Structure formats: structure tokens, C-alpha cells
Amino acid sequence: DDDEAVVAWDKAQLEIVQARLGAHPKRKALQRRLDGEFALGDLKSLPTFRGAHRWYTYRPKNANQPVLYRTDSKAAQAPRVVLDPNRWSGGGTWTIRAWTVSPDGRYVAYRRDRVGSEDTTLYVFDVNNSRHLPDTITRTKFASVVWTDDSTGYYYSRMPAPEPVPKGQEQYHRRIYHHELGRLVQDDPMVYGRGRPMLETCW
């Protein structure tokens, strides 16, 4: 998709679309209507209960991305902002793709992307200390995370590094690993997928 001919074709098609839509007599009115609709806040997501707390996402008015909040289990306390991707970039183009709270409610493992990319990176946020742990894992496109019961680590899936696989297969060979907090990512043991077919999906 980065071939010069493809890029030129994309630009030509965009010019055609912009010229036709720009000349539409109701375009400005529609733009005002859409701006007003997008400025409204979203509905809250269904809550998740972990560590005596209620967790949910909500996109505030005029914000580009949903924010992750935490409150007490009965929602009697004022909600606390846990992760706000709108503060990660000036244009609000970073987003939280998925998030999972540890059983004790101390950590949030979440995948972050930018500018709509699906090639996410997995982070762990220590809610008690309001800081990110150094446990950062790349190549976690479409990955799911499952915490261990004692909240000391989690199982996750990731793509292989580009070097060990043939060119063009970098988006395959997804395998499941176990990560213990504080351990080097390169030392994470593979728990499923060794010797399995390239196209087998390991979530």
C-alpha cells in the first residue's frame, strides 16, 4: 500500500471525493449537525468490578477518546480518572484499544495505539501509585490479556519479532505467553502455539 502508483491513485480519488462533497449545497449544514452530535458525551460502558471498585469508560463532551474511570463498587464516590488518552497527544489521536484490571484492582493492563493503527503496544498502569510499570510489550495487535488470580502476572498473545519469520508473515504466528510483573519481556515463556500452523489464531 506504500507503492508510488497506489499512493498516487489514493490522492487522485481523494481529490475527486473532496471536490464533489465540497460542492454539495447542504454540506455546511450537515457539518454543523455532525459537530454538534460528536460534541455530546457518550453513554457509559458497562461496568467491570475488580478490587472493590467499579471501572468503566466514558467519552466526555468534546473529547475525542473515551476515558477510563474508577469509583467505589456502589458508585457513591466521585469517579477518578485512571487513564485519559486525550492527554497523550495534542490531536487526541491516541486511544485505548482494550483494558483489563487485575483481580486485586491495583493494575490495569491496556493496549494503546495511535492515529488509528491496529499495531498496539501493551502497557501496565499501577493505579495505587499513579505510574506506568516498565513492563511494555510491543506487537500485541488484537491481543487479549488474562490476569493470574494473584495479580502478579498475566497471559497474553503477541506477534513474533520480524527477524525470525519469513518476509510477509509478520502478521501471523500469534502465540500465547505468560508475563510476570518485573520480568524481562524477552524471558516470557511461550505457553501455547509452538509448532502450530502459521494461520492458527491464538488469543
Side-chain angles (χ1 to χ4, degrees):
D1 58 359
D2 56 356
D3 183 272
E4 291 184 5
V6 175
V7 173
W9 185 88
D10 281 343
K11 290 182 177 180
Q13 297 304 306
L14 180 60
E15 289 176 0
I16 293 173
V17 171
Q18 289 178 332
R20 293 189 178 181
L21 292 181
H24 196 284
K26 296 184 178 181
R27 180 175 174 80
K28 290 185 178 180
L30 180 59
Q31 182 68 51
R32 288 193 296 270
R33 171 71 184 275
L34 291 175
D35 286 344
E37 294 290 340
F38 285 127
L40 299 176
D42 285 339
L43 295 174
K44 293 179 181 178
S45 68
L46 290 174
T48 294
F49 296 88
R50 292 287 187 279
H53 290 92
R54 176 193 300 249
W55 309 74
Y56 64 91
T57 58
Y58 172 74
R59 184 175 64 83
K61 182 178 179 180
N62 293 317
N64 283 347
Q65 307 297 340
V67 177
L68 177 61
Y69 293 90
R70 188 191 78 174
T71 184
D72 63 292
S73 60
K74 296 182 179 180
Q77 299 175 350
R80 168 190 171 184
V81 174
V82 179
L83 295 169
D84 183 359
N86 297 290
R87 300 177 181 176
W88 297 343
S89 67
T93 55
W94 291 77
T95 186
I96 300 173
R97 280 290 182 180
W99 53 275
T100 308
V101 183
S102 61
D104 63 4
R106 177 172 179 176
Y107 304 106
V108 178
Y110 71 98
R111 293 190 294 113
R112 180 195 297 188
D113 76 355
R114 60 178 178 177
V115 199
S117 171
E118 295 178 341
D119 293 325
T120 58
T121 298
L122 181 62
Y123 296 87
V124 176
F125 184 71
D126 183 339
V127 182
N128 290 0
N129 296 308
S130 298
R131 67 182 182 88
H132 280 89
L133 301 185
D135 308 62
T136 301
I137 304 174
T138 59
R139 308 187 307 278
T140 54
K141 181 179 182 179
F142 304 137
S144 295
V145 172
V146 177
W147 284 92
T148 56
D149 291 339
D150 59 5
S151 301
T152 61
Y154 51 83
Y155 296 92
Y156 69 99
S157 61
R158 75 167 187 250
M159 305 292 188
E163 294 79 13
V165 298
K167 184 175 177 57
Q169 296 185 15
E170 297 85 359
Q171 299 299 317
Y172 303 98
H173 303 282
R174 183 183 292 119
R175 301 296 181 248
I176 298 176
Y177 298 83
H178 175 256
H179 180 71
E180 182 179 331
L181 296 181
R183 181 172 58 195
L184 295 176
V185 174
Q186 55 263 38
D187 294 334
D188 287 354
M190 182 189 299
V191 298
Y192 181 79
R194 194 178 306 280
R196 302 302 299 171
M198 175 186 76
L199 295 177
E200 183 173 74
T201 300
C202 297
W203 297 99

